[in-house]
């Protein structure tokens, strides 16, 4: 279970375009990765939101079961 702060602020929540800028990939790639479960996200209605701490955790984890390139 992921420990989250008791109250999220606007700085804790990212939209797809924010994650895309962070990862230097198109928004469509971020959305695809989220749909496939490669990036953690929360779907609320038609919107998909990303918790900054969870995205940072994905970026800093050791590669497991991925190709040599370490891509998502």
């Amino acid at each position: 279970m992921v420990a989250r702060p008791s109250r999220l602020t606007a700085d804790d929540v990212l939209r797809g375009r924010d994650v895309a800028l962070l990862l230097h990939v198109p928004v469509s790639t971020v959305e695809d990765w989220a749909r496939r479960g490669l990036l953690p996200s929360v779907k609320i209605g038609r919107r998909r939101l990303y918790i900054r701490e969870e995205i940072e955790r994905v970026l800093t984890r050791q590669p497991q079961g991925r190709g040599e390139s370490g891509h998502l």
Side-chain angles (χ1 to χ4, degrees), residues 35-46:
R35 278 191 301 274
R36 295 187 319 166
L38 298 173
L39 283 178
S41 65
V42 177
K43 186 121 165 99
I44 301 175
R46 294 174 52 179

Side-chain angles (χ1 to χ4, degrees), residues 16-32:
R17 67 176 173 231
D18 302 321
V19 177
L21 287 170
L22 181 66
L23 300 179
H24 303 284
V25 298
V27 174
S28 60
T29 299
V30 170
E31 293 168 350
D32 178 58

